[in-house]
Structure formats: structure tokens, C-alpha cells
Amino acid sequence: EGRFQYHIECSAGDIAPVVIVPGDQGRVDKIVAGLSEARKIAENRGLITYTGKYKDYPVSVTSTGMGGPSASIVYEELINVGARVLIRIGSVAGLQEYVNEGDIVVPYGCVRDDGASNYYVPPNFPAVPSPDVYSSLTTSARERGREIVTGINWTHSCFYKRDPEYFQSWSKRRIVSLEMEASALFVISYLRNVKAGFIGICYANRYKQSAGTKVDLSVKNPRRDVIENSVKETIEITLTAIKKMYDEDL
Ligand code: R1X
């Protein structure tokens, strides 16, 4: 392995051992802004890669696109060229009444409806982050006095599902949030013996939106500034967590 990868168009030596993997291509620049000496490595099909440094420690960023099937291609190819730690920074929706716009969520497990991991392992196989990444992220948030939400996240595959029960059923089981890539990340990383973690920013409360009879998924967010602030803070928390992991030799 280590040769040129078909989709991400990177080879061994192009990326750092630690790679931040947002879904959104638009978030890549925001993360790269926190790095020094960053250079663009590749861009293909919306899979954009930069490598730079955070306080002298090498860090890469690669966008994965939306959903388990796209993201799983990126996770696999990054590991093929030397990634040892993958950290997803991504958007989530809240599934509990108390998880709202701008909240930061760091899950310690996922329900696996990502649409890709079921091709790797049976349904009874868990999707969990590496304890090292989880604790570095949560410690780094707490050290700066930022409260986070933790619990189990649901990685699903059907954004435009309009049946309220689809959302409510997981809410009733105390699931805190939902998004579309984390469980594929956790399963693939576990199988390939690399470390993974996920930190999410809440964009909407799907619990409240689906509590009526209709689910309106297209509401424009009135709290954009609060969310943008949390995106910035999430990036800082992640970079500090990465430094912590390098310093502690994790
Ligand atoms: O993971 C989810 C997906 O990538 C979060 O945002 C996208 C859907 O809007």
C-alpha cells in the first residue's frame, strides 16, 4: 500500500499521520486557516486534501463528501497512505430537546445506519471511537470551559425521510444526535487498527422539528452566528486535542 489512491489522489508521504475529515468541502478552508505551512495536495470529486502543521505537529485535512458510502472510500484511502488517526468534524442535528443550534457533540458510540459499514461487519458489531481520541477531544473542550453534549449518535442514510417516527423512535432511546458519516468512520478505523473520533456541531433540532406531524427539513437557520462561532471553537478544540495526542505519544 501507499501508492497513489484512485479517489483522493494522494500517495504515501502526502499526508500527516493525523487527518481531520470533515464532510463539507466548505469547511476545509476554515480548518486549514488554523494550520501553518499548509499546502494543497489534491482535489478530485470534492475530495480536497491539505497538509500543514499545528504548532509544529503535522496535520492533514481531507473532505469526505456526504454519507457513509462516499466517506468510507476516503477513510480507506487515507489509511492506505498512512493515516493513523482520523478525526471527523461534522454537522449534526439534535435528537433530544436539550441539543440545540451551536451545541457541540462528542459521541462515545453510534447506531450504525451509515449504509457502508454493514458491508464490512454484521449488525451486532459496535461503532465506537478510540478512547484516546474521545478523551483528548472532551478534555480539550473542558479545559477551555466549553460544555459539550455526549452520548450515542445515530448515523443514518436518508436525509429526506419525512416520517416523524423515523426520528422520534431514536429520540425515545436517548440518542443525542444524528448525522451521516461517523459510524462508518468508527467501524473502518477499528477494523484497520487506526484511531478515530468525532466532534459535531448542532445545526438544527430534529426532535422538535419532528415532534409535530410534519417534518420540515428545509428551515433556514435563524442562529447562523451562534453556529459559526461553534464551528470555530470545534476546530480549535480539535487542534488542541491533536497536540495533546502528539504530546502524549498516543
Ligand atoms: O452528516 C450529515 C451530512 O453530511 C451532516 O450534514 C449532512 C447532511 O446535511
Side-chain angles (χ1 to χ4, degrees):
E1 301 280 2
R3 63 196 148 69
F4 184 79
Q5 298 294 307
Y6 184 60
H7 300 91
I8 61 171
E9 298 192 343
C10 297
S11 309
D14 285 340
I15 63 151
V18 180
V19 187
I20 300 175
V21 282
D24 183 358
Q25 295 80 8
R27 198 163 285 150
V28 171
D29 282 346
K30 296 177 191 171
I31 300 168
V32 167
L35 304 180
S36 56
E37 296 169 51
R39 61 190 177 102
K40 188 169 185 177
I41 305 290
E43 172 165 3
N44 181 46
R45 290 178 177 248
L47 313 175
I48 307 167
T49 299
Y50 280 81
T51 295
K53 284 184 173 167
Y54 177 69
K55 298 194 196 291
D56 287 338
Y57 298 110
V59 177
S60 293
V61 184
T62 301
S63 52
T64 67
M66 287 186 279
S70 174
S72 62
I73 291 172
V74 177
Y75 304 147
E76 289 274 16
E77 293 190 358
L78 285 170
I79 299 166
N80 289 346
V81 294
R84 303 296 303 149
V85 178
L86 297 172
I87 306 180
R88 164 166 159 74
I89 293 182
S91 311
V92 304
L95 262 191
Q96 297 299 316
E97 195 163 12
Y98 65 87
V99 186
N100 290 294
E101 291 88 343
D103 286 354
I104 297 177
V105 181
V106 182
Y108 49 70
C110 291
V111 178
R112 284 180 39 220
D113 282 330
D114 56 78
S117 67
N118 52 322
Y119 291 88
Y120 290 82
V121 290
N124 49 4
F125 194 95
V128 289
S130 146
D132 291 336
V133 183
Y134 174 81
S135 78
S136 301
L137 286 169
T138 52
T139 308
S140 136
R142 281 179 193 132
E143 276 174 2
R144 56 186 289 147
R146 172 74 199 212
E147 246 186 70
I148 53 153
V149 173
T150 190
I152 301 176
N153 166 82
W154 171 34
T155 302
H156 79 135
S157 295
C158 186
F159 185 89
Y160 279 113
K161 183 81 176 168
R162 286 178 173 83
D163 167 12
E165 189 50 29
Y166 179 71
F167 301 102
Q168 296 288 325
S169 62
W170 289 110
S171 180
K172 283 175 203 148
R173 294 166 178 141
R174 294 189 58 245
I175 298 301
V176 291
S177 57
L178 72 147
E179 48 74 66
M180 303 177 73
E181 296 82 14
S183 63
L185 172 66
F186 292 169
V187 169
I188 290 169
S189 299
Y190 189 84
L191 292 174
R192 299 208 53 193
N193 198 20
V194 306
K195 295 181 178 182
F198 171 41
I199 181 162
I201 307 103
C202 180
Y203 272 67
N205 188 304
R206 205 59 90 218
Y207 163 79
K208 290 180 195 161
Q209 287 175 340
S210 62
T213 45
K214 269 209 180 127
V215 188
D216 185 1
L217 296 166
S218 62
V219 252
K220 268 248 182 298
N221 210 295
R223 302 186 61 203
R224 209 63 219 186
D225 48 329
V226 180
I227 294 170
E228 267 318 304
N229 224 28
S230 293
V231 170
K232 279 206 192 100
E233 215 176 341
T234 299
I235 293 168
E236 287 165 17
I237 290 168
T238 306
L239 292 172
T240 313
I242 289 170
K243 178 179 181 296
K244 211 180 270 298
M245 292 186 68
Y246 270 117
D247 286 344
E248 288 167 20
D249 260 335
L250 298 175

